[in-house]
Amino acid sequence: MTKALGYAAKHSFSRLKPLEFDRPEPKANEVQIDVLYCGVCHSDIHQVENDWGNTVYPCMPGHEIVGRVSAAGAGVSRHKVGDLVGVGCMIDSCRQCEPCREGDEHHCEGHNSWLATYNGPMKPAAQTEDGVNTYAEDNTYGGYSNVMVVPEDFVLKVPESLPIEAAAPILCAGVTTYSPLKHWGVKAGDKVGIVGLGGLGHMAVKLAVAMGADVTIFTTDKDKVEPGKALGASQVVIEGDKDAYKELELSFDFILSTIPEKHKVDPFITLLKRNATYCAVGALDQIPGYNNQELIMHRRTLAGSLIGSIAETQEVLDFCAEKGVAPDVQVIDIQDVNAAYKKVKNEDVRFRYVIDMASLKREMDEAA
């Protein structure tokens, strides 16, 4: 075991505080990673506060991780000591079900589904018929820590050309928005709507623009009009502008909603062309009702998408490196993470916080 330190919450109502714990030594197929940067995702806040009712405590968030390999198991061939690598939302899957065999690990249908980078398996033992956890890990500790140990095939290669601190959010926010854009075939010349302009939304805009799409942003915040245009959007519409919505009816090939809470879908359905799709990625809440007639009359589709596969995560990293796309980040010390959570909830960040884990190392050195 390796002595490790991270920041974790012990209850839904408690702040993140330092927590000492043990990381196992890397097995034959695993690598050890010294964490350099870790993004702050809105999912981290939902998980810490048990908004989804599935949190395992202590909860140590972090699934947008960039670091360097510091040790490798005997059988490792994909990565070597010193490599710049990343870890996203998953660190393992059953590897045997149909989705896993087809490269869709994020839709794992195995006994416990996929193993999350933090908070354990997506389907914990208590939710199974036999009460078994095939991963033998009820809880996993994420990237708000100094070191990670991960199977080599769930570790991504981070292109050296990417700004290292900005690469972290690509591992969640990037692939979460890239995956549906790719799946629904967004291409040059398509008219794409992006609903919400936060951590996910701003990445969606940058990626869609890099794909050659004509992008319209929908936001409730008038202060985001100019920042949205600066990201490459051709138009920024304030939600509730009936005249603008009327003009945009039947004009979109694809609309991606990145709003992290429940929200009305109806206003956007009429904006879709025939055969077009509205896809939600930001909310795990129940979505309010909609007028099914509007779907039927133009053969429109309502859909959802969940993060992305390991292959897609590598693909979006490489795409961002090729196109010069990177999220807009604000780098913070880990000691400021609780204040950062409040600002994320109040939408006071443009657009993604990233923790410089050197601040944790300093804390460890001072405590030694």
Side-chain angles (χ1 to χ4, degrees):
M1 291 289 183
T2 299
K3 292 294 181 183
L5 180 68
Y7 268 56
K10 293 186 176 180
H11 305 283
S12 62
F13 49 82
S14 68
R15 293 162 58 86
L16 293 161
K17 296 179 181 179
L19 177 70
E20 293 184 356
F21 64 103
D22 292 325
R23 286 281 192 209
E25 298 292 333
K27 300 183 183 71
N29 68 327
E30 295 177 336
V31 296
Q32 178 178 288
I33 302 164
D34 289 345
V35 181
L36 300 176
Y37 291 93
C38 186
V40 175
C41 180
H42 206 290
S43 297
D44 298 346
I45 300 172
H46 284 305
Q47 203 73 71
V48 164
E49 297 183 355
N50 198 25
D51 290 338
W52 299 326
N54 68 335
T55 302
V56 183
Y57 295 101
C59 177
M60 185 177 293
H63 59 205
E64 297 179 344
I65 303 160
V66 172
R68 290 200 181 273
V69 176
S70 54
V76 170
S77 60
R78 299 190 182 193
H79 312 282
K80 63 182 185 301
V81 173
D83 282 357
L84 184 65
V85 296
V87 178
C89 301
M90 303 175 284
I91 56 172
D92 210 347
S93 71
C94 84
R95 304 168 182 262
Q96 298 173 357
C97 69
E98 183 176 345
C100 284
R101 293 196 307 270
E102 294 180 355
D104 281 335
E105 307 92 346
H106 57 310
H107 294 298
C108 176
E109 296 172 355
H111 190 272
N112 298 101
S113 190
W114 44 277
L115 184 63
T117 304
Y118 69 90
N119 206 58
M122 291 301 291
K123 187 176 181 181
Q127 294 182 8
T128 65
E129 292 183 1
D130 57 9
V132 171
N133 177 359
T134 56
Y135 297 111
E137 291 185 78
D138 294 322
N139 195 2
T140 45
Y141 290 157
Y144 290 14
S145 59
N146 65 311
V147 64
M148 296 287 297
V149 176
V150 182
E152 64 168 333
D153 51 346
F154 278 74
V155 176
L156 294 309
K157 295 182 182 297
V158 176
E160 295 280 356
S161 60
L162 286 172
I164 186 170
E165 71 280 4
I170 298 173
L171 294 156
C172 175
V175 72
T176 297
T177 50
Y178 177 85
S179 180
L181 291 170
K182 175 190 173 185
H183 180 81
W184 276 279
V186 169
K187 61 187 184 301
D190 281 353
K191 189 172 181 62
V192 173
I194 305 298
V195 184
L197 191 60
L200 285 175
H202 95 287
M203 273 305 298
V205 172
K206 289 192 174 192
L207 290 168
V209 169
M211 292 173 177
D214 177 7
V215 176
T216 296
I217 296 169
F218 296 89
T219 178
T220 58
D221 189 348
K222 294 181 180 180
D223 291 338
K224 291 184 178 179
V225 172
E226 292 308 315
K229 291 180 179 179
L231 294 175
S234 62
Q235 186 177 9
V236 181
V237 175
I238 301 300
E239 290 187 42
D241 185 339
K242 294 182 180 179
D243 292 336
Y245 277 56
K246 186 66 177 177
E247 291 179 6
L248 292 170
E249 285 184 1
L250 288 165
S251 65
F252 285 92
D253 298 284
F254 184 71
I255 296 177
L256 183 66
S257 172
T258 67
I259 300 173
E261 295 95 16
K262 64 175 65 177
H263 57 281
K264 292 182 178 180
V265 173
D266 261 347
F268 302 102
I269 294 178
T270 56
L271 308 187
L272 294 170
K273 292 179 180 177
R274 177 177 56 89
N275 295 330
T277 297
Y278 174 97
C279 177
V281 296
L284 293 182
D285 294 318
Q286 291 187 358
I287 298 296
Y290 54 88
N291 183 353
N292 199 48
Q293 182 177 357
E294 289 293 347
L295 292 181
I296 291 172
M297 295 302 292
H298 297 278
R299 202 163 52 199
R300 295 157 167 151
T301 300
L302 290 183
S305 183
L306 175 70
I307 55 171
S309 68
I310 294 298
E312 285 176 322
T313 308
Q314 187 63 62
E315 193 174 312
V316 71
L317 284 166
D318 296 339
F319 179 85
C320 287
E322 177 189 350
K323 299 293 186 180
V325 172
D328 295 348
V329 303
Q330 296 182 36
V331 178
I332 62 170
D333 290 344
I334 197 166
Q335 293 80 11
D336 298 323
V337 69
N338 291 295
Y341 273 22
K342 291 182 180 179
K343 291 183 178 180
V344 171
K345 293 172 72 173
N346 293 332
E347 299 184 13
D348 290 336
V349 55
R350 299 286 192 274
F351 284 100
R352 204 75 166 182
Y353 281 124
V354 173
I355 303 168
D356 182 350
M357 300 308 293
S359 59
L360 181 61
K361 186 178 185 302
R362 289 194 297 270
E363 183 170 325
M364 294 173 68
D365 291 344
E366 292 169 359

